[in-house]
Amino acid sequence: MKEIRGLPGAKGRALHKAVVLTKRSPQPERRPVADPEVEIARFEALRAAYAGELRELREKALASTGQEAADIMKAYADIAGDNLFFKKPIKLVREEAVDAGWAVAQERDRVCRKFAAMEDPYMKARADDVRNVCDELIRRLDGEGALADDGEGAAIFVAEDLTPEDTVRLDKSRLGGFITERGGVTSHAVILAKTLGIPAVVGAAGILEAVRAGQDIYLNGDDGFALVDPDADAVAEFTRASAAQETVRARWREAAAKPAVTPDGHTVSVCINSGDTDSLKGFRADLCDGVGLFRTEFLFMDQDDYPSEELQYRAYRAVAEAAAGKEVIIRTLDIGGDKQLGYMDLPKEANPFLGYRAIRICLDREEVFQTQLRALLRAALHGYVKIMFPMIVTLEELRAAKAAVERARASLKAEGVPCADYVPLGIMIETPAAVLLSDVLAEEADFFSIGTNDLIQYTTATDRMNERVQYLYDPCNLSVLRAIHTVIQNGHRAGIPVGMCGEAASDERLLPLLLAMGLDEFSMVPAQVGRVKHFIQNTAFASLNCLPAEVLGQREIGEAKRILALYEKEGL
Ligand code: PEP
Ligand code: MG
């Protein structure tokens, strides 16, 4: 038995045979070809077929794994179909009579070196896209198929890394869990695992060396390790743990159908986050209190140009109707940072997360903002829509955003277009600036939603994309906890509800504290709703009375975590 440690990506445990996916970047040899034109024709046929497959995968991703994977498939399809990009390798084949695989590898390496040297994390990520597309083309030119696995039955997939394309291609019915040598806990593959409810361990250096295909692996996504060839004791432990896990999951399913009320009558809302209308196909309004965050970026990313008012109106209206009278918080465009729009042609920035993004863009680009606001005000006639502005750091921004809503309403009315007379206007609290000004902001916002994904990053000055500083990106960081407490208190003093739509809203370590602090709304990926509701339904609100003072009184994060751990198990 060998133990390999990694990072806990997605929770759960599984024991299956290993399927090893080795997909290191191919390094083809330079080979002469007799007829360059025949080679070019072979390459172009393969490239066209691959681009077509990617377009199909995008549709598949939209239906199964979600918007994020679909966006990446689109980016891959764009690269595969980019004639300009492949002009140089084709010229190389033609002029030097060499094989296309080698020629593509030269261009891949040149472009990736260029991207990798850039500071911008977005550009670095583009290098991965180019590499993945070129690698697949080279493999196909060499007669190798895509990620090949034709076995049967559930398995633990072992790989160096899983690209978004891999996750779309993988046979989900066989995916019992996965473990990768590389990757971070917020990678797309981990999000997929969470969505599918399977365990995942990432950053497990040495796993490819330690395991052979067909060996048993016990994967523990709760604690972030794998046992290769587990001994009898480990198997017995797994059997016990999975029986217990199934019992707990059945309880969560039951809990999801009931309201989020503590035994002593404290009620909160448990809502879902959503990023696209397709993911709302499986949306069960009866199992949650509404949509706490609808990210509108997808609508913009999924297009080659700005989506029209009509297209946006239809999308927002569909969400509002699907929620069947429950609240839907629609966030205005939050582009910039790691989310870019090709057609917007934004300037390259040294610090994109501190740059031209979110509300800053909307306030600057009146026509883009007005189109979205008009669509939202029209859609608000079809359900309980609230509008939320991202990345607010000053009162001036909030006032300017609210004034823009008034202009949009006035223009609709002037044209005789039906629209909502009143729509609650709230803001995301994602920056220390907004936290420190939250008493003032609360007087003019109708609600707050704490965006911890960004708030942790900005409070701890930790780039959430940078693996080397991940240890500082901690939802239990005391400054972050103080910030959350301040926001809830200031919101309540002004009489407005305070929600949370960052990942921390379903972090089991924080649930007791957030509940005790009086958070009104917890919003999360749909798969977490049952667990969070179950915790709330089984935790007496009064029993948490002293928790905020106790935790916030600590000086070290470790101490705060130790106290939180005492409460974590309650309700399970
Ligand atoms: C957040 O920052 O917590 C948030 C929900 O917004 P996003 O993850 O879309 O940046
Ligand atoms: Mg954010």
Side-chain angles (χ1 to χ4, degrees):
M1 180 170 86
K2 268 178 271 179
E3 178 176 340
I4 303 289
R5 298 209 74 87
L7 301 167
K11 287 192 166 295
R13 294 162 196 228
L15 198 162
H16 298 293
K17 300 241 173 280
V19 166
V20 180
L21 308 165
T22 36
K23 281 211 351 166
R24 292 185 194 277
S25 211
Q27 305 298 335
E29 305 253 309
R30 180 187 169 113
R31 285 192 314 254
V33 292
D35 187 340
E37 292 312 318
V38 171
E39 179 70 350
I40 290 168
R42 182 173 82 95
F43 171 61
E44 288 296 55
L46 272 174
R47 183 160 76 93
Y50 179 43
E53 264 177 48
L54 286 164
R55 282 190 286 273
E56 275 172 30
L57 280 174
R58 175 173 170 264
E59 297 303 316
K60 203 169 142 192
L62 274 178
S64 59
T65 45
Q67 189 62 41
E68 206 175 329
D71 291 343
I72 294 170
M73 290 308 99
K74 180 174 183 303
Y76 283 17
D78 288 348
I79 297 169
D82 186 346
N83 292 335
L84 208 63
F85 180 87
F86 291 102
K87 212 168 146 183
K88 274 199 186 142
I90 288 173
K91 191 160 168 258
L92 209 57
V93 175
R94 184 167 286 132
E95 290 177 355
E96 300 189 18
V98 286
D99 70 294
W102 183 81
V104 170
Q106 304 315 298
E107 186 63 3
R108 170 198 68 190
D109 295 345
R110 191 186 68 77
V111 171
C112 289
R113 263 196 310 275
K114 205 167 100 186
F115 279 6
M118 296 180 184
E119 282 299 308
D120 186 345
Y122 175 77
M123 294 314 283
K124 281 191 200 289
R126 297 288 70 73
D128 285 342
D129 294 351
V130 167
R131 181 176 299 106
N132 290 335
V133 170
C134 290
D135 286 356
E136 188 60 30
L137 283 169
I138 297 166
R139 271 187 218 104
R140 288 173 183 223
L141 283 161
D142 278 352
E144 278 183 46
L147 201 71
D149 164 52
D150 42 19
E152 280 176 10
I156 304 288
F157 285 64
V158 183
E160 186 179 359
D161 202 0
L162 284 176
T163 65
E165 182 183 352
D166 295 336
T167 61
V168 178
R169 281 180 193 280
L170 285 174
D171 180 355
K172 311 289 182 304
S173 65
R174 293 204 63 203
L175 196 56
F178 72 77
I179 176 162
T180 56
E181 290 253 341
R182 298 191 1 223
V185 293
T186 54
S187 69
H188 179 75
V190 170
I191 293 169
L192 170 76
K194 284 186 182 170
T195 312
L196 296 176
I198 56 165
V201 174
V202 293
I207 188 67
L208 280 173
E209 200 64 40
V211 70
R212 287 186 317 281
Q215 270 184 306
D216 283 336
I217 301 193
Y218 166 24
L219 190 68
N220 183 326
D222 299 327
D223 302 311
F225 69 87
L227 299 176
V228 180
D229 250 342
D231 61 19
D233 283 351
V235 172
E237 195 264 325
F238 164 73
T239 313
R240 266 195 313 275
S242 19
Q245 196 177 40
E246 195 26 59
T247 314
V248 167
R249 288 203 168 163
R251 283 197 212 128
W252 293 348
R253 281 193 291 275
E254 272 177 39
K258 293 184 279 182
V261 186
T262 65
D264 48 350
H266 179 74
T267 304
V268 295
S269 292
V270 177
C271 297
I272 62 147
N273 291 348
S274 175
D276 57 281
T277 32
D278 286 279
S279 74
L280 287 169
K281 279 183 191 148
F283 172 45
R284 292 271 311 267
D286 54 328
L287 299 185
C288 65
D289 297 300
V291 179
L293 168 64
F294 185 80
R295 294 180 166 97
T296 57
E297 294 81 70
F298 85 92
L299 264 180
F300 290 74
M301 289 180 171
D302 208 21
Q303 311 288 321
D304 297 325
D305 205 346
Y306 294 98
S308 66
E309 178 182 318
E310 196 54 31
L311 192 141
Q312 292 190 54
Y313 162 66
R314 274 188 267 122
Y316 306 147
R317 176 178 171 166
V319 191
E321 288 178 342
K326 292 190 173 170
E327 77 162 20
V328 176
I329 299 181
I330 304 186
R331 180 174 73 182
T332 58
L333 186 60
D334 184 12
I335 220 70
D338 57 336
K339 303 173 208 153
Q340 298 288 331
L341 278 184
Y343 56 83
M344 241 177 162
D345 212 16
L346 296 175
K348 302 280 166 287
E349 297 180 316
N351 294 301
F353 278 103
L354 302 181
Y356 190 58
R357 64 169 296 201
I359 195 71
R360 302 169 186 189
I361 297 182
C362 288
L363 293 179
D364 187 45
R365 302 279 291 268
E366 172 79 358
E367 71 296 351
V368 175
F369 202 25
Q370 282 299 308
T371 307
Q372 180 167 44
L373 293 173
R374 284 169 58 100
L376 284 167
L377 292 174
R378 290 171 57 195
L381 283 177
H382 302 276
Y384 182 21
V385 171
K386 298 179 174 182
I387 297 177
M388 177 158 72
F389 307 117
M391 277 291 291
I392 294 286
V393 296
T394 65
L395 181 64
E396 288 83 342
E397 282 177 329
L398 171 57
R399 286 184 174 165
K402 288 174 75 171
V405 174
E406 285 316 313
R407 282 198 296 283
R409 185 179 284 117
S411 70
L412 287 166
K413 291 218 181 266
E415 292 164 28
V417 181
C419 67
D421 284 324
Y422 170 71
V423 176
L425 304 176
I427 61 172
M428 291 200 69
I429 302 283
E430 313 181 81
T431 62
V435 173
L436 295 169
L437 198 68
S438 51
D439 54 337
V440 172
L441 293 168
E443 287 171 8
E444 302 195 21
D446 294 320
F447 61 92
F448 282 162
S449 184
I450 308 175
T452 47
N453 302 346
D454 274 317
L455 184 60
I456 297 169
Q457 153 166 273
Y458 292 125
T459 303
T460 62
T462 305
D463 181 349
R464 72 193 209 204
M465 325 278 277
N466 185 338
E467 287 177 16
R468 296 175 73 180
V469 291
Q470 280 303 294
Y471 68 97
L472 282 172
Y473 187 87
D474 189 343
C476 298
N477 178 291
L478 282 165
S479 312
V480 172
L481 299 183
R482 286 184 185 200
I484 293 169
H485 189 55
T486 302
V487 174
I488 296 173
Q489 287 203 315
N490 283 335
H492 287 176
R493 267 189 210 114
I496 62 166
V498 181
M500 180 179 288
C501 58
E503 292 298 301
S506 58
D507 188 322
E508 66 269 35
R509 294 168 301 179
L510 292 182
L511 286 179
L513 183 66
L514 297 175
L515 192 60
M517 285 178 173
L519 190 74
D520 301 293
E521 180 175 297
F522 298 66
S523 197
M524 62 208 64
V525 293
Q528 305 290 344
V529 167
R531 180 171 62 74
V532 171
K533 279 193 175 184
H534 183 260
F535 178 84
I536 292 162
Q537 290 158 0
N538 290 280
T539 305
F541 187 56
S543 72
L544 304 173
N545 258 347
C546 304
L547 189 57
E550 218 183 328
V551 171
L552 296 178
Q554 299 308 314
R555 303 164 74 92
E556 289 197 3
I557 300 168
E559 279 303 298
K561 282 185 175 166
R562 195 183 52 72
I563 295 166
L564 290 173
L566 300 175
Y567 288 81
E568 206 179 298
K569 299 285 178 264
E570 195 169 345
L572 287 185

